[in-house]
Amino acid sequence: MADLTAQCGSAVLRTPIVLASGPSGFGAELLRGAALAGVGAVTTKTLTPTARGGNPQPRLVDAPAGVLNSVGLENPGLESFLQNELPGLRELPAAIVVSMTANDPAEIGRMAMRLSGELCVAAIELNLSCPNVSGRPAGDDPVLVGRFVRAAVDCGSKPVLAKLAGDRGDVRVPGEAALTAGAAGLTLINSVRGVRIDRRTGRPLFHRVFGGLSGPAILPIALARVYEARLAFPDALIVGTGGVTDLGGLLEMLFAGADLVGIGFGVMGTPRLAGELAAELDRWLADHGIVRAAELVSAAHRGGIGVPVGIAALNR
Amino acid sequence: MNERTRAQTGAAREGPLFSWVSACTTFRQTASSFARVRLAAPGLPTGRPGQFVLVRPAGTALLPRAFSVFDADPGEVELFVKADGVLRRQLFEGTIGERFEVRGPYGVPFSDVIDPGRRYMLVGGGCGIAPLRRFADVYPGRVAATVYGFRTAEVEGLLSGVHLVTEENGGEMAHERARAVWRPGMGVLACGPEPMLREVARAFRGAPDVYVSLECRIGCGIGACRGCSILTTRGMRRVCRDGPLFAAEEVPWLI
């Protein structure tokens, strides 16, 4: 059995597979189905300071090789999550990453502080790039990115991941801002803004017109962002998320530079996908005579697999 | 099989499956745009009336589609399918033995929601007849009347022994007939296109025990993704996990 463990801040994860924020809800639903085999960490749906109902139906619209969503950050609010959902998650065999967002850095600071005492929370993921709410995402403005991250880092005690968009500007700009402000890493990417229009009526299908595209369609986009970010930030923790639904996608994401790999759309279709992927990764590593999954990370930046890790470290 | 034994065997108390089960078509009976499609799905729990399963072609990573169960026996599930959309067309036209994946059954069974002491008028439109037909099959004693509406009479061969309301024969729609059939004391269980549900909810506003089974693009099917959340008088509720059956008064936007 190969060593699949991966590091997330000071937490050691069983596998590099992370349930991305959104499709896995707040964890309890998957816990009921014992669908957590192979999961290294569970990222909650994004929490806000107070409850949000989210967007009206329709919230899911099919797209070639994926789906567009317009859920709109439906969540019970941080306090309700802490009281009603988190206790059930404490016994999980996986680490917990709490995804959060707010309108201003002060609120983020308060939320981060509130989570400081929760031992089971391994990290905070700041959702700075949701395509499904009004206003410009904070991730578009590097100054705001820095402020949000700084607030979470200064007021809280958890490692902070900044979740950035796949389709807006140069990822190195907000990435640099986040890491300079103290972020431990970056989650790349959020769903990609898209539109679908009713062919019978000529009207946009979503009430908010735009939705977020996820699924295999966005895998190459996510890989590009991860590759680019890894080149620019050799030491940052990178969670590569976007379109991974099989072992091939998982491997590509690791090769591109992701330390951890998020699965979202794939879990919606197959709740036990993480367990399947972990078993396949284990077999693949054995077939290739590779002892540790972590050796695959950034292989694309050092001439592919088979190059000794020591040399790769020098190349960084 | 009497109602009690049927209900008990149909109500195998197994939980829903979170893993895909391999399935293949074993039987299909088609009309011009609807079909009954039976899938062998070894290991799939039979569930209870009102529940749905998720289906997708074998070997894809794509999101499945939700189908109300029309009939189920151990290891077999039968769907009532309209031939529109890629997957539905595949179920409708594909060869017998074509492979699919199924998981479920999900959703709260009708009998866990409705008042057990009442008898119900079942009002169905199009594919919405599927869970009602199963309910009537398993709980005949709880059915006061059935009103199943279709645009045309093409499905008569698929639903033997059932009187249908067809728009082309008489121009009457299901909700109109329902108004004539309903008697005080009857509950209402409705499933069908949203305009029909709206008419039913309006027609029986204020009457006790009026329920609508809602359809929605389902994502995960297990209540996690919130892709099927709807606003109700009890806050946000998920069609897949809290529904699909809701009291009509819980969804005032429908009216």
Side-chain angles (χ1 to χ4, degrees):
Chain A
M1 173 115 189
D3 175 8
L4 300 186
T5 58
Q7 199 86 21
C8 176
S10 59
V12 177
L13 312 185
R14 296 184 301 177
T15 77
I17 302 166
V18 176
L19 300 185
S21 179
S24 303
F26 300 95
E29 293 81 8
L30 294 171
L31 191 61
R32 264 195 296 272
L36 287 161
V39 175
V42 177
T43 316
T44 66
K45 260 181 83 60
T46 297
L47 291 155
T48 49
T50 51
R52 282 178 62 101
N55 295 334
Q57 286 290 333
R59 288 180 170 195
L60 296 175
V61 170
D62 289 294
V67 73
L68 277 165
N69 87 81
S70 177
V71 173
L73 301 183
E74 178 186 338
N75 81 94
L78 181 66
E79 282 309 317
S80 169
F81 167 77
L82 290 175
Q83 280 173 31
N84 303 319
E85 309 270 358
L86 191 63
L89 306 183
R90 289 202 179 106
E91 304 307 316
L92 290 189
I96 296 164
V97 177
V98 173
S99 171
M100 58 166 70
T101 196
N103 289 326
D104 64 70
E107 285 180 316
I108 285 290
R110 281 193 289 275
M111 294 173 83
M113 193 182 294
R114 194 70 186 76
L115 284 171
S116 294
E118 297 293 343
L119 292 177
C120 64
V121 175
I124 289 171
E125 182 175 275
L126 291 184
N127 181 356
L128 303 175
S129 47
C130 179
N132 293 328
V133 290
S134 54
R136 196 167 157 236
D140 282 5
D141 178 351
V143 175
L144 270 182
V145 169
R147 285 188 192 143
F148 275 93
V149 171
R150 176 75 63 198
V153 170
D154 287 353
C155 301
S157 62
K158 307 290 182 188
V160 174
L161 297 163
K163 185 166 186 178
L164 301 174
D167 54 343
R168 303 170 81 92
D170 183 341
V171 74
R172 290 170 294 191
V173 177
E176 179 75 45
L179 295 167
T180 305
L186 308 174
T187 301
L188 304 168
I189 58 177
N190 213 314
S191 56
V192 174
R193 214 165 69 113
V195 174
R196 294 225 77 177
I197 295 170
D198 188 325
R199 292 172 187 182
R200 294 162 302 172
T201 65
R203 290 194 288 265
L205 283 161
F206 287 135
H207 290 268
R208 306 188 67 89
V209 182
F210 299 98
L213 176 63
S214 57
I218 70 167
L219 176 65
I221 301 172
L223 288 169
R225 288 295 211 190
V226 168
Y227 189 95
E228 208 169 23
R230 178 52 77 205
L231 269 183
F233 314 117
D235 301 320
L237 173 65
I238 295 180
V239 186
T241 298
V244 173
T245 56
D246 59 13
L247 177 67
L250 173 71
L251 290 171
E252 280 194 75
M253 201 59 97
L254 292 169
F255 294 156
D259 301 288
L260 304 173
V261 178
I263 48 173
F265 172 88
V267 180
M268 235 198 291
T270 305
R272 289 185 172 159
L273 180 63
E276 295 172 15
L277 290 182
E280 288 177 34
L281 177 62
D282 188 43
R283 273 197 301 276
W284 189 91
L285 290 168
D287 289 348
H288 289 74
I290 297 172
V291 181
R292 296 173 58 238
E295 291 173 36
L296 306 180
V297 176
S298 299
H301 297 275
R302 51 174 192 261
I305 50 173
V307 178
V309 176
I311 293 175
L314 285 177
N315 285 344
R316 279 193 183 181
Chain B
M1 200 182 282
N2 68 32
E3 178 168 326
R4 180 174 291 178
T5 44
R6 182 71 199 244
Q8 279 169 348
T9 51
R13 293 287 185 258
E14 310 153 76
L17 288 182
F18 287 77
S19 303
W20 289 103
V21 167
S22 291
C24 68
T25 48
T26 56
F27 167 82
R28 183 172 47 226
Q29 186 185 0
T30 57
S32 61
S33 57
F34 289 90
R36 289 170 61 163
V37 181
R38 206 162 174 89
L39 297 165
L44 185 76
T46 49
R48 290 190 283 157
Q51 292 190 290
F52 63 91
V53 292
L54 298 181
V55 182
R56 70 181 183 185
T60 70
L62 297 183
L63 285 191
R65 285 263 160 204
F67 293 88
S68 283
V69 175
F70 179 82
D71 190 21
D73 286 304
E76 283 187 36
V77 65
E78 187 165 331
L79 313 175
F80 193 81
V81 178
K82 190 173 185 190
D84 60 0
V86 177
L87 173 65
R88 287 177 287 237
R89 200 154 269 289
Q90 204 172 339
L91 285 163
F92 188 84
E93 292 172 344
T95 51
I96 293 295
E98 186 153 356
R99 304 207 71 84
F100 295 89
E101 296 177 317
V102 183
R103 62 182 170 92
Y106 302 126
V108 182
F110 288 173
S111 57
D112 287 0
V113 180
I114 61 175
D115 176 352
R118 200 180 282 280
R119 293 173 77 225
Y120 288 82
M121 172 175 69
L122 311 184
V123 186
C127 289
I129 61 113
L132 302 176
R133 185 62 208 290
R134 187 174 182 210
F135 181 87
D137 195 30
V138 175
Y139 305 111
R142 293 199 196 175
V143 178
T146 60
V147 179
Y148 296 150
F150 287 86
R151 287 222 165 81
T152 69
E154 59 153 303
V155 293
E156 269 172 354
L158 303 182
L159 299 166
S160 54
V162 176
H163 178 74
L164 302 179
V165 180
T166 52
E167 286 170 48
E168 69 174 6
N169 298 339
E172 201 178 24
M173 294 176 74
H175 67 270
E176 294 164 338
R177 173 68 67 85
R179 264 194 224 123
V181 169
W182 185 80
R183 295 286 174 271
M186 284 184 195
V188 178
L189 277 182
C191 184
E194 200 169 301
M196 186 206 92
L197 295 182
R198 184 170 291 125
E199 293 296 340
V200 169
R202 272 186 198 146
F204 300 103
R205 194 188 326 215
D209 292 304
V210 178
Y211 297 94
V212 289
S213 183
L214 300 180
E215 192 180 12
C216 192
R217 181 72 179 95
I218 302 284
C220 66
I222 58 175
C225 76
R226 270 70 174 177
C228 64
S229 292
I230 54 164
L231 183 62
T232 73
T233 54
R234 297 160 69 188
M236 299 306 293
R237 312 265 286 159
R238 297 158 295 185
V239 170
C240 75
R241 186 165 173 83
D242 304 314
L245 196 68
F246 294 89
E249 71 240 19
E250 270 185 86
V251 284
W253 47 266
L254 188 64
I255 301 174

